[in-house]
Amino acid sequence: MINEEKLKNLISKILKVKIEKITLNSGINNLEQWDSLAHLSILTEIDNFTKGKASKIRGLSNATTVKEILKLLKNNKLA
């Protein structure tokens, strides 16, 4: 299971930004470091963390904010 804090920590490490800069509203549109390649890295790490279960979530690749990703993970009982 991944919670909000773990997700923010994961994103912070991938983007190489301080965790304090990561909020629920952080995403591809408002964080310069969050580009398409970083997005793929985030999705890959989430999938690794969930032992391959996250890759089966429909629409996860379209979720571009922390809030959207967390909502889909919760809806699929992975958060």
Side-chain angles (χ1 to χ4, degrees), residues 33-71:
Q33 298 87 340
W34 193 329
D35 57 15
S36 57
L37 187 57
H39 191 66
L40 286 174
S41 296
I42 291 166
L43 295 176
T44 301
E45 279 304 307
I46 292 170
D47 196 48
N48 289 340
F49 191 86
T50 61
K51 297 179 176 66
K53 294 176 184 168
S55 62
K56 296 176 176 82
I57 298 174
R58 176 176 273 156
L60 186 60
S61 61
N62 296 325
T64 57
T65 66
V66 175
K67 184 188 269 182
E68 290 172 358
I69 292 169
L70 198 58
K71 182 178 178 188

